[in-house]
């Protein structure tokens, strides 16, 4: 599966969106209140801003992505977002390992 995950917002009856092992892209901040109205479970890959395992390019990006995910979760408190996390990319200039 490729493309922007928001292309699937045209399916209002979609209850589960599990795209973890795909190459879809996008940004969870693009989801409006009317998008995915029936969604109960969401798993997005790290290629999506706000997706599971998203790789930060700078440590200073952490608050922004955490606020985006938290804001989305507040809009939809019953939505299951399975074990979300982010990490600093090993290619980041902030990486020391």
């Amino acid at each position: 599966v490729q493309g922007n995950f928001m292309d699937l917002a045209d399916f209002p009856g979609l209850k589960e969106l599990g795209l973890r092992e795909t190459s879809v892209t996008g940004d969870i901040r693009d989801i409006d209140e009317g998008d995915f109205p029936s969604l109960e479970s969401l798993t997005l890959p790290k290629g999506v801003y706000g997706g599971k395992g998203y790789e930060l390019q700078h440590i200073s990006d952490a608050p922004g992505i955490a606020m985006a995910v938290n804001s989305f979760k507040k809009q939809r408190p019953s939505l299951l977002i399975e074990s979300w996390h982010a990490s600093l990319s090993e290619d980041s200039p902030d990486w020391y390992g």
Side-chain angles (χ1 to χ4, degrees):
V1 177
Q2 298 178 9
N4 190 307
F5 79 94
M6 285 301 297
D7 294 340
L8 298 170
D10 294 334
F11 298 94
L14 196 61
K15 291 188 177 206
E16 183 175 334
L17 187 56
L19 299 170
R20 190 171 130 207
E21 299 296 327
T22 67
S23 59
V24 299
T25 58
D27 188 325
I28 63 164
R29 297 172 295 185
D30 293 339
I31 301 175
D32 292 326
E33 288 185 35
D35 295 329
F36 305 106
S38 301
L39 202 59
E40 297 172 358
S41 174
L42 176 66
T43 306
L44 296 171
K46 65 183 180 180
V48 172
Y49 185 90
K52 182 177 181 177
Y54 182 77
E55 292 188 352
L56 304 165
Q57 292 305 306
H58 299 281
I59 292 171
S60 60
D61 296 338
I65 194 164
M67 287 189 318
V69 172
N70 187 49
S71 174
F72 179 67
K73 185 66 177 155
K74 281 183 178 180
Q75 285 179 4
R76 299 170 189 227
S78 63
L79 180 67
L80 173 64
I81 299 178
E82 186 180 324
S83 32
W84 181 87
H85 66 277
S87 62
L88 184 63
S89 170
E90 290 185 16
D91 296 328
S92 167
D94 297 340
W95 177 261
Y96 60 95

